Amino acid sequence: IVAITNSEVFLLIILAFIIFISMIILYKPIFYIIFDEIGASVSGIRTNMINFIFMLLTAICISISAKIIGAFVVSSILVLPVAAALQISNSYKNNLLFSILLAIVSNILGLFLSYYFDLKPGGSIVLVSLIIFFLITIIKKIIK
């Protein structure tokens, strides 16, 4: 992560911008497809096209990110914040926002820990993501 070039950072920024704009444009159709794909199809949403665009963006994101920051970190960034957000969110929109927030927090804390304790950045980010997930899960079980 700390050894990526300026061109790779630029590529990631462009990719993030494309995904952000796509999610804004496709928010409602994706939301509808997630909860009722048949209903979305019946109501006129082109579910095959939306699914294809979503999978294409995901594939591009994973392939570019895996090359730049490593497959292990990419999988943890994609899965762990979403899993943790599912524990505390009560809507699709909240889950989306919480997962983004948790991913940012785990990345910043992971990089901070790797810098000050001379650890590998990828492993630190994954550990922080995992700790956040476990803490949220434990706190949720205690509260219930």
Side-chain angles (χ1 to χ4, degrees):
I1 291 174
V2 292
I4 62 175
T5 65
N6 288 340
S7 62
E8 291 170 333
V9 171
F10 184 68
L11 182 63
L12 284 174
I13 290 171
I14 291 172
L15 177 64
F17 180 75
I18 291 169
I19 290 172
F20 181 72
I21 296 300
S22 299
M23 287 304 294
I24 289 173
I25 292 170
L26 299 174
Y27 177 79
K28 286 186 180 182
I30 289 174
F31 177 77
Y32 200 3
I33 290 170
I34 287 172
F35 288 103
D36 186 11
E37 188 166 358
I38 295 170
S41 180
V42 169
S43 69
I45 295 175
R46 294 174 34 182
T47 57
N48 287 338
M49 183 187 72
I50 301 294
N51 283 331
F52 175 77
I53 291 170
F54 186 73
M55 286 187 205
L56 180 68
L57 288 173
T58 303
I60 291 170
C61 177
I62 290 172
S63 64
I64 290 174
S65 299
K67 176 190 175 293
I68 295 172
I69 59 176
F72 189 55
V73 178
V74 171
S75 64
S76 72
I77 290 172
L78 288 175
V79 174
L80 290 172
V82 175
L86 281 170
Q87 302 294 317
I88 56 176
S89 63
N90 56 2
S91 71
Y92 173 70
K93 186 176 186 179
N94 284 345
N95 188 44
L96 190 62
L97 295 174
F98 283 140
S99 62
I100 292 169
L101 178 69
L102 291 172
I104 291 170
V105 167
S106 62
N107 277 290
I108 290 171
L109 284 175
L111 289 173
F112 177 82
L113 290 173
S114 73
Y115 180 78
Y116 285 105
F117 294 105
D118 196 29
L119 303 168
K120 300 278 185 186
S124 299
I125 292 170
V126 172
L127 273 175
V128 169
S129 295
L130 200 58
I131 290 169
I132 290 172
F133 171 74
F134 283 133
L135 285 175
I136 289 173
T137 304
I138 290 168
I139 290 169
K140 183 181 177 187
K141 288 191 185 265
I142 290 171
I143 291 174
K144 281 189 171 185

